[in-house]
Each structure stands twice: as structure tokens, then as C-alpha cells.
Coordinates of all heavy atoms in Angstrom, one line a residue:
M1222 N 161.7 79.5 74.2 CA 160.7 80.4 74.8 C 160.3 79.9 76.2 O 160.2 78.7 76.4 CB 159.4 80.4 73.9 CG 159.7 81.1 72.6 SD 158.3 81.2 71.4 CE 156.9 81.5 72.3
T1223 N 160.2 80.9 77.0 CA 159.9 80.5 78.4 C 158.8 81.4 79.0 O 158.7 82.6 78.8 CB 161.1 80.8 79.4 OG1 162.3 80.1 78.8 CG2 160.9 80.3 80.8
D1224 N 157.8 80.8 79.6 CA 156.7 81.5 80.2 C 157.2 82.3 81.4 O 158.0 81.9 82.2 CB 155.6 80.6 80.7 CG 154.8 80.0 79.5 OD1 155.1 80.3 78.3 OD2 153.9 79.2 79.8
C1225 N 156.6 83.5 81.6 CA 156.8 84.2 82.8 C 156.2 83.5 84.0 O 155.1 82.9 83.8 CB 156.1 85.6 82.7 SG 156.1 86.6 84.1
A1226 N 156.9 83.5 85.1 CA 156.4 82.8 86.3 C 155.1 83.5 86.9 O 154.4 82.8 87.7 CB 157.5 82.8 87.4
G1227 N 154.8 84.7 86.5 CA 153.6 85.3 87.0 C 152.3 85.1 86.2 O 151.3 85.7 86.6
I1228 N 152.4 84.3 85.2 CA 151.2 84.1 84.4 C 149.9 83.7 85.1 O 148.8 84.2 84.8 CB 151.6 83.0 83.3 CG1 152.2 83.7 82.1 CG2 150.3 82.3 82.8 CD1 152.6 82.8 81.0
A1229 N 150.0 82.9 86.1 CA 148.8 82.4 86.8 C 148.0 83.5 87.5 O 146.8 83.5 87.6 CB 149.2 81.3 87.8
T1230 N 148.8 84.5 88.0 CA 148.1 85.5 88.8 C 148.2 86.9 88.2 O 147.6 87.9 88.7 CB 148.8 85.6 90.2 OG1 150.2 85.8 90.0 CG2 148.6 84.3 90.9
C1231 N 148.9 87.1 87.1 CA 149.1 88.5 86.6 C 147.7 89.1 86.0 O 147.1 88.4 85.2 CB 150.1 88.4 85.4 SG 150.3 90.0 84.6
P1232 N 147.3 90.2 86.4 CA 146.1 90.9 86.0 C 146.1 91.1 84.4 O 145.1 91.0 83.8 CB 146.1 92.2 86.7 CG 146.9 92.0 87.9 CD 148.0 91.0 87.5
F1233 N 147.3 91.4 83.9 CA 147.3 91.6 82.4 C 147.1 90.3 81.7 O 146.2 90.2 80.8 CB 148.6 92.2 82.0 CG 148.8 92.3 80.4 CD1 148.1 93.4 79.8 CD2 149.5 91.3 79.7 CE1 148.2 93.4 78.4 CE2 149.5 91.4 78.4 CZ 148.9 92.5 77.7
F1234 N 147.8 89.3 82.0 CA 147.7 88.0 81.3 C 146.3 87.4 81.4 O 145.8 86.8 80.5 CB 148.7 87.0 81.8 CG 148.7 85.8 80.9 CD1 149.5 85.8 79.8 CD2 148.0 84.7 81.2 CE1 149.6 84.7 78.9 CE2 148.0 83.6 80.4 CZ 148.9 83.6 79.2
N1235 N 145.6 87.7 82.6 CA 144.3 87.2 82.9 C 143.2 88.2 82.6 O 142.0 87.9 83.0 CB 144.2 86.7 84.3 CG 145.2 85.4 84.5 OD1 144.8 84.3 84.1 ND2 146.3 85.6 85.1
D1236 N 143.4 89.2 81.7 CA 142.5 90.1 81.2 C 141.7 90.8 82.4 O 140.5 91.0 82.3 CB 141.5 89.4 80.3 CG 142.2 88.8 79.0 OD1 143.2 89.5 78.6 OD2 141.8 87.7 78.7
R1237 N 142.4 91.1 83.4 CA 141.7 91.8 84.5 C 142.0 93.3 84.6 O 141.7 94.0 85.6 CB 142.0 91.1 85.8 CG 141.4 89.7 85.9 CD 141.3 89.1 87.4 NE 142.6 89.2 88.0 CZ 143.4 88.1 88.1 NH1 143.0 87.0 87.6 NH2 144.5 88.2 88.8
M1238 N 142.7 93.8 83.6 CA 143.0 95.2 83.6 C 142.0 96.0 82.8 O 141.5 95.4 81.8 CB 144.4 95.5 83.0 CG 145.5 95.0 84.0 SD 147.2 95.2 83.2 CE 147.3 96.9 83.0
Q1239 N 141.7 97.3 83.1 CA 140.8 98.1 82.3 C 141.6 98.5 81.1 O 142.8 98.6 81.1 CB 140.4 99.3 83.1 CG 139.5 99.0 84.3 CD 139.0 100.2 85.0 OE1 139.4 101.3 84.8 NE2 138.0 100.0 85.8
N1240 N 140.8 98.8 80.0 CA 141.4 99.3 78.8 C 142.4 98.4 78.2 O 143.5 98.9 77.8 CB 141.9 100.7 79.0 CG 140.9 101.6 79.6 OD1 139.7 101.6 79.1 ND2 141.2 102.4 80.5
M1241 N 142.2 97.1 78.2 CA 143.2 96.2 77.6 C 143.4 96.6 76.1 O 142.4 96.8 75.4 CB 142.6 94.7 77.7 CG 142.6 94.2 79.0 SD 144.3 93.8 79.7 CE 144.7 92.3 78.7
P1242 N 144.7 96.7 75.7 CA 145.0 97.1 74.3 C 144.5 96.0 73.3 O 144.4 94.8 73.7 CB 146.4 97.2 74.3 CG 146.9 96.4 75.4 CD 145.9 96.4 76.5
F1243 N 144.1 96.5 72.1 CA 143.6 95.5 71.2 C 144.7 94.5 70.7 O 144.4 93.5 70.2 CB 143.0 96.2 69.9 CG 144.1 96.9 69.0 CD1 144.5 96.2 67.9 CD2 144.6 98.1 69.3 CE1 145.5 96.8 67.1 CE2 145.5 98.7 68.5 CZ 145.9 98.1 67.4
I1244 N 145.9 94.9 70.9 CA 147.0 93.9 70.7 C 147.5 93.1 71.9 O 148.6 92.6 71.9 CB 148.3 94.7 70.1 CG1 148.8 95.8 71.1 CG2 147.9 95.3 68.7 CD1 150.2 96.3 70.7
A1245 N 146.5 93.0 72.8 CA 146.9 92.3 74.0 C 147.4 90.8 73.8 O 148.4 90.4 74.4 CB 145.7 92.3 75.0
D1246 N 146.7 90.1 72.9 CA 147.2 88.8 72.6 C 148.6 88.8 72.0 O 149.4 87.9 72.4 CB 146.2 88.1 71.6 CG 144.9 87.8 72.3 OD1 144.8 87.8 73.5 OD2 143.9 87.4 71.6
M1247 N 148.9 89.7 71.2 CA 150.2 89.8 70.7 C 151.3 90.1 71.8 O 152.4 89.5 71.8 CB 150.4 90.9 69.6 CG 149.7 90.5 68.3 SD 149.8 91.8 67.1 CE 151.5 92.2 67.0
M1248 N 150.9 91.0 72.7 CA 151.8 91.3 73.8 C 152.0 90.1 74.7 O 153.1 89.9 75.2 CB 151.2 92.6 74.6 CG 151.2 93.8 73.8 SD 150.3 95.1 74.5 CE 151.1 95.6 75.9
K1249 N 150.9 89.3 74.9 CA 151.1 88.1 75.7 C 152.0 87.1 75.2 O 152.9 86.5 75.8 CB 149.7 87.5 76.0 CG 148.7 88.2 76.9 CD 147.4 87.5 76.9 CE 146.4 88.4 77.6 NZ 145.1 87.8 77.7
K1250 N 151.9 87.0 73.8 CA 152.8 86.1 73.1 C 154.2 86.6 73.2 O 155.2 85.8 73.4 CB 152.4 86.0 71.7 CG 153.2 84.9 70.8 CD 152.6 84.8 69.5 CE 153.4 83.8 68.7 NZ 153.0 83.8 67.2
H1251 N 154.4 87.9 73.0 CA 155.8 88.5 73.0 C 156.4 88.5 74.4 O 157.5 88.0 74.6 CB 155.7 89.9 72.4 CG 157.1 90.5 72.5 ND1 158.1 90.2 71.6 CD2 157.6 91.5 73.4 CE1 159.2 91.0 71.9 NE2 158.9 91.7 72.9
Y1252 N 155.6 89.0 75.3 CA 156.2 89.2 76.7 C 156.0 88.0 77.6 O 157.0 87.4 78.1 CB 155.7 90.4 77.5 CG 156.1 91.7 76.8 CD1 155.2 92.4 76.0 CD2 157.3 92.3 77.0 CE1 155.6 93.6 75.3 CE2 157.8 93.5 76.4 CZ 156.9 94.1 75.6 OH 157.3 95.3 75.0
C1253 N 154.8 87.6 77.8 CA 154.4 86.6 78.8 C 154.9 85.2 78.5 O 155.3 84.4 79.3 CB 152.9 86.6 79.0 SG 152.1 88.2 79.2
R1254 N 154.9 84.9 77.2 CA 155.3 83.6 76.8 C 156.8 83.6 76.2 O 157.3 82.5 75.8 CB 154.5 83.1 75.6 CG 152.9 83.0 76.0 CD 152.8 81.7 76.8 NE 151.3 81.5 77.0 CZ 150.9 80.6 77.8 NH1 151.7 79.9 78.5 NH2 149.6 80.4 77.9
D1255 N 157.5 84.7 76.3 CA 158.9 84.6 75.8 C 159.8 85.7 76.5 O 160.6 85.3 77.4 CB 158.9 85.0 74.3 CG 160.2 84.7 73.7 OD1 161.1 84.1 74.3 OD2 160.3 85.2 72.5
D1256 N 159.6 87.0 76.1 CA 160.6 88.0 76.6 C 160.1 88.7 77.9 O 160.0 89.9 78.0 CB 160.7 89.0 75.5 CG 161.9 89.9 75.7 OD1 162.8 89.6 76.5 OD2 161.9 91.0 75.1
F1257 N 159.8 87.9 78.9 CA 159.2 88.5 80.1 C 160.1 89.4 80.8 O 159.7 90.3 81.6 CB 158.6 87.4 81.1 CG 159.6 86.5 81.5 CD1 160.4 86.7 82.6 CD2 159.8 85.2 80.8 CE1 161.3 85.8 83.1 CE2 160.8 84.3 81.3 CZ 161.6 84.7 82.4
E1258 N 161.4 89.2 80.7 CA 162.4 90.0 81.5 C 162.3 91.6 81.0 O 162.8 92.4 81.7 CB 163.8 89.5 81.3 CG 164.0 88.2 82.0 CD 165.4 87.7 81.9 OE1 166.1 88.1 81.1 OE2 165.7 86.7 82.7
H1259 N 161.8 91.8 79.8 CA 161.6 93.2 79.3 C 160.2 93.7 79.5 O 159.8 94.7 79.0 CB 162.0 93.3 77.9 CG 163.5 93.1 77.7 ND1 164.0 91.9 77.1 CD2 164.5 93.9 78.1 CE1 165.4 92.1 77.1 NE2 165.6 93.2 77.7
C1260 N 159.3 93.0 80.2 CA 158.0 93.4 80.5 C 158.0 94.4 81.6 O 158.7 94.2 82.6 CB 157.1 92.2 80.9 SG 155.6 92.7 81.7
A1261 N 157.3 95.6 81.4 CA 157.3 96.6 82.4 C 156.8 96.1 83.8 O 157.3 96.5 84.8 CB 156.5 97.8 81.9
R1262 N 155.8 95.4 83.7 CA 155.2 94.9 85.0 C 156.1 93.9 85.7 O 156.3 94.0 86.9 CB 153.9 94.1 84.7 CG 152.7 95.0 84.1 CD 151.4 94.3 84.0 NE 150.9 93.9 85.3 CZ 150.2 94.6 86.1 NH1 149.8 95.9 85.7 NH2 149.7 94.2 87.2
Y1263 N 156.8 93.1 85.0 CA 157.8 92.2 85.5 C 158.9 92.9 86.1 O 159.4 92.7 87.2 CB 158.2 91.2 84.4 CG 159.2 90.2 84.9 CD1 158.8 89.0 85.5 CD2 160.7 90.4 84.8 CE1 159.8 88.1 85.9 CE2 161.6 89.5 85.2 CZ 161.1 88.3 85.8 OH 162.0 87.4 86.3
M1264 N 159.4 94.0 85.4 CA 160.6 94.8 85.8 C 160.2 95.4 87.2 O 161.1 95.4 88.2 CB 160.9 95.8 84.8 CG 161.4 95.3 83.5 SD 161.4 96.4 82.1 CE 162.4 97.8 82.7
V1265 N 159.1 96.0 87.3 CA 158.7 96.7 88.6 C 158.5 95.7 89.7 O 159.0 95.9 90.8 CB 157.4 97.6 88.4 CG1 157.0 98.2 89.8 CG2 157.7 98.7 87.4
K1266 N 157.9 94.6 89.4 CA 157.7 93.6 90.4 C 159.0 93.1 90.9 O 159.2 92.9 92.2 CB 156.9 92.4 89.8 CG 156.6 91.3 90.7 CD 155.7 90.2 90.0 CE 155.7 88.9 90.9 NZ 155.0 87.8 90.1
Q1267 N 160.0 92.8 90.0 CA 161.2 92.2 90.5 C 162.1 93.2 91.3 O 162.7 92.8 92.3 CB 162.0 91.9 89.2 CG 161.6 90.7 88.5 CD 161.5 89.4 89.4 OE1 160.5 88.9 89.7 NE2 162.7 88.9 89.7
R1268 N 162.0 94.5 91.0 CA 162.8 95.5 91.7 C 162.2 96.1 92.9 O 162.8 96.4 93.8 CB 163.2 96.6 90.7 CG 164.0 96.1 89.5 CD 165.4 95.7 89.9 NE 166.2 96.8 90.3 CZ 166.9 97.6 89.4 NH1 166.9 97.3 88.1 NH2 167.6 98.6 89.7
L1269 N 160.8 96.3 92.8 CA 160.2 97.0 93.9 C 159.2 96.1 94.7 O 158.7 96.5 95.8 CB 159.4 98.2 93.4 CG 160.3 99.3 92.6 CD1 159.4 100.5 92.1 CD2 161.4 99.8 93.5
G1270 N 158.8 95.0 94.1 CA 157.8 94.2 94.7 C 156.4 94.2 94.1 O 156.1 95.2 93.5
K1271 N 155.7 93.2 94.2 CA 154.4 93.0 93.6 C 153.4 94.1 93.9 O 152.7 94.6 93.1 CB 153.8 91.6 94.1 CG 152.5 91.3 93.5 CD 152.1 89.9 94.1 CE 150.7 89.6 93.7 NZ 150.2 88.3 94.3
D1272 N 153.5 94.6 95.2 CA 152.6 95.6 95.6 C 152.8 97.0 95.0 O 151.9 97.8 95.0 CB 152.5 95.7 97.1 CG 152.0 94.5 97.8 OD1 151.4 93.7 97.2 OD2 152.3 94.3 99.0
R1273 N 153.9 97.2 94.3 CA 154.3 98.5 93.8 C 154.0 98.5 92.3 O 154.3 99.5 91.6 CB 155.8 98.7 94.0 CG 156.2 98.7 95.5 CD 155.7 100.0 96.2 NE 156.5 101.2 95.7 CZ 157.8 101.5 96.1 NH1 158.4 100.7 97.0 NH2 158.3 102.5 95.7
V1274 N 153.5 97.4 91.7 CA 153.1 97.4 90.3 C 151.8 98.2 90.1 O 150.8 97.7 90.5 CB 153.0 96.0 89.7 CG1 152.7 96.0 88.2 CG2 154.3 95.2 90.0
P1275 N 151.9 99.3 89.3 CA 150.6 100.0 89.1 C 149.6 99.2 88.3 O 149.9 98.4 87.6 CB 151.1 101.2 88.2 CG 152.5 101.4 88.4 CD 153.0 99.9 88.7
G1276 N 148.3 99.4 88.7 CA 147.2 98.7 88.2 C 147.0 98.9 86.7 O 146.4 98.1 86.0
D1277 N 147.6 100.1 86.2 CA 147.4 100.4 84.8 C 148.7 100.3 83.9 O 148.8 100.9 82.9 CB 146.8 101.8 84.7 CG 147.8 102.9 85.2 OD1 148.8 102.5 85.9 OD2 147.5 104.0 85.1
L1278 N 149.7 99.6 84.4 CA 151.0 99.5 83.8 C 150.9 98.3 82.8 O 150.7 97.2 83.2 CB 152.1 99.3 84.8 CG 153.5 99.2 84.2 CD1 153.9 100.6 83.6 CD2 154.5 98.8 85.3
F1279 N 151.1 98.6 81.5 CA 151.1 97.5 80.5 C 152.5 97.0 80.2 O 153.5 97.8 80.4 CB 150.4 98.0 79.2 CG 149.0 98.2 79.4 CD1 148.4 99.4 79.5 CD2 148.2 97.1 79.5 CE1 147.0 99.5 79.7 CE2 146.8 97.1 79.7 CZ 146.2 98.4 79.9
P1280 N 152.7 95.9 79.7 CA 154.0 95.3 79.5 C 155.0 96.1 78.6 O 156.2 96.1 78.8 CB 153.7 93.9 78.8 CG 152.4 93.6 79.2 CD 151.6 94.9 79.4
N1281 N 154.4 96.8 77.7 CA 155.3 97.6 76.7 C 155.7 99.0 77.3 O 156.3 99.7 76.6 CB 154.6 97.7 75.4 CG 153.3 98.4 75.4 OD1 152.7 98.6 76.5 ND2 152.8 99.0 74.3
Q1282 N 155.4 99.3 78.5 CA 155.7 100.6 79.1 C 157.0 100.6 79.9 O 157.0 101.0 81.0 CB 154.5 101.1 79.9 CG 153.3 101.3 79.1 CD 152.1 101.8 79.9 OE1 151.7 101.1 80.8 NE2 151.6 103.0 79.5
S1283 N 158.1 100.1 79.3 CA 159.3 99.9 80.0 C 159.9 101.2 80.4 O 160.6 101.3 81.5 CB 160.3 99.1 79.1 OG 160.5 99.8 77.9
T1284 N 159.7 102.3 79.7 CA 160.3 103.6 80.1 C 159.6 104.1 81.4 O 160.3 104.5 82.3 CB 160.0 104.7 79.0 OG1 160.6 104.2 77.8 CG2 160.6 106.0 79.3
K1285 N 158.2 103.9 81.4 CA 157.6 104.2 82.7 C 158.1 103.4 83.8 O 158.3 103.8 84.9 CB 156.1 104.1 82.4 CG 155.2 104.4 83.6 CD 153.7 104.3 83.3 CE 152.9 104.6 84.5 NZ 151.4 104.5 84.2
A1286 N 158.3 102.1 83.5 CA 158.8 101.1 84.6 C 160.1 101.6 85.1 O 160.4 101.6 86.3 CB 158.9 99.8 84.0
E1287 N 161.0 102.0 84.2 CA 162.3 102.5 84.6 C 162.2 103.7 85.5 O 163.0 103.8 86.5 CB 163.2 102.8 83.4 CG 163.6 101.5 82.8 CD 164.2 101.6 81.3 OE1 164.3 102.8 80.9 OE2 164.5 100.6 80.7
R1288 N 161.3 104.6 85.2 CA 161.1 105.8 86.0 C 160.6 105.4 87.4 O 161.1 105.9 88.4 CB 160.0 106.8 85.3 CG 160.6 107.7 84.3 CD 159.8 108.9 84.0 NE 158.4 108.6 83.9 CZ 157.8 108.4 82.6 NH1 158.5 108.4 81.6 NH2 156.5 108.1 82.6
L1289 N 159.6 104.5 87.4 CA 159.1 104.0 88.7 C 160.2 103.4 89.6 O 160.2 103.6 90.8 CB 157.9 103.1 88.5 CG 156.7 103.7 87.9 CD1 155.7 102.5 87.4 CD2 155.9 104.5 89.0
I1290 N 161.0 102.6 88.9 CA 162.0 101.9 89.6 C 163.1 102.9 90.2 O 163.4 102.9 91.4 CB 162.8 100.9 88.7 CG1 161.8 99.7 88.4 CG2 164.0 100.3 89.4 CD1 162.2 98.8 87.3
S1291 N 163.5 103.9 89.4 CA 164.4 104.9 89.8 C 163.9 105.7 91.0 O 164.5 105.9 92.0 CB 164.8 105.9 88.7 OG 165.4 105.2 87.6
A1292 N 162.6 106.1 90.9 CA 162.0 106.8 92.0 C 161.8 105.9 93.2 O 162.1 106.4 94.3 CB 160.7 107.4 91.5
G1293 N 161.4 104.7 93.0 CA 161.1 103.8 94.1 C 162.4 103.5 94.9 O 162.3 103.2 96.1
E1294 N 163.5 103.4 94.2 CA 164.7 103.0 94.9 C 165.4 104.1 95.6 O 166.1 103.9 96.6 CB 165.7 102.4 93.8 CG 165.3 101.0 93.4 CD 166.2 100.4 92.4 OE1 167.1 101.1 91.8 OE2 166.2 99.2 92.2
I1295 N 165.0 105.4 95.3 CA 165.5 106.6 96.0 C 164.8 106.7 97.3 O 165.3 107.0 98.3 CB 165.4 107.8 95.1 CG1 166.3 107.7 93.9 CG2 165.6 109.1 95.9 CD1 166.1 108.8 92.8
V1296 N 163.4 106.5 97.2 CA 162.5 106.7 98.4 C 162.9 105.7 99.5 O 163.3 104.6 99.3 CB 161.0 106.5 98.0 CG1 160.2 106.6 99.3 CG2 160.7 107.5 97.0
Ligands
SF4_756 S1 155.3 89.0 81.3 FE1 154.4 90.7 82.4 S2 152.3 90.9 81.8 FE2 153.0 88.9 81.3 S3 152.6 87.6 83.0 FE3 154.6 88.3 83.4 S4 154.4 90.2 84.6 FE4 152.4 89.7 83.7

């Protein structure tokens, strides 16, 4: 298991997002502490940059991340 490099500053990991899901702790364990490469926020950050990660994007929204990445790379 490997921690995501963004843990120190990530709004999701640090409970700074609105409407945090009740399974947030499980998501942190799954994504932030292990499978971060499949986290939607991580995916967008890696491909488009930190400033392009939506404030309301949760780790399990990979389909939305893929749409954002596709649109972002065309623009
Ligand atoms: S895995 Fe995703 S939600 Fe967790 S710290 Fe990294 S970017 Fe943030």
C-alpha cells in the first residue's frame, strides 16, 4: 500500500469539501492510502493540472474524470 503524494494538501483527504460522503473514511483508505492512481481527483490533476480539479469531484467519480480529461485535452 502506498499513500497518494497529495495527501497533505488534498481538500478531500483533509475534509475541506462540501457534502463529504458518509463513506469518506472508507474512500480515503481505498484511494488515498492505496489505489490513488484510480482516484478521479488524482487522474484529473495528473492529466490537466491541479487547478483543473473541480472542487466537488470525489475520488470515486472516475467516469466524470475521464470526461473532463477528454474535454480538457481537446481544448
Ligand atoms: S487519492 Fe485522490 S482524494 Fe486521496 S489524496 Fe490523492 S488526490 Fe486526494
Side-chain angles (χ1 to χ4, degrees):
M1222 290 176 43
T1223 306
D1224 285 358
C1225 174
I1228 274 180
T1230 57
C1231 179
F1233 174 79
F1234 191 82
N1235 293 284
D1236 299 323
R1237 293 199 304 265
M1238 289 175 65
Q1239 292 185 346
N1240 305 316
M1241 287 290 284
F1243 73 97
I1244 58 166
D1246 285 346
M1247 286 176 57
M1248 290 166 71
K1249 289 177 188 179
K1250 185 176 177 186
H1251 177 77
Y1252 291 103
C1253 311
R1254 299 283 191 191
D1255 188 14
D1256 191 21
F1257 60 85
E1258 291 182 345
H1259 290 106
C1260 165
R1262 296 185 64 84
Y1263 181 87
M1264 291 163 62
V1265 174
K1266 179 180 170 184
Q1267 290 300 109
R1268 297 289 289 275
L1269 302 179
K1271 180 180 172 184
D1272 295 342
R1273 303 282 293 278
V1274 181
D1277 62 351
L1278 184 66
F1279 288 107
N1281 61 340
Q1282 295 180 301
S1283 58
T1284 302
K1285 183 176 177 181
E1287 286 165 4
R1288 277 201 311 269
L1289 290 166
I1290 290 166
S1291 293
E1294 288 182 339
I1295 291 168
V1296 174

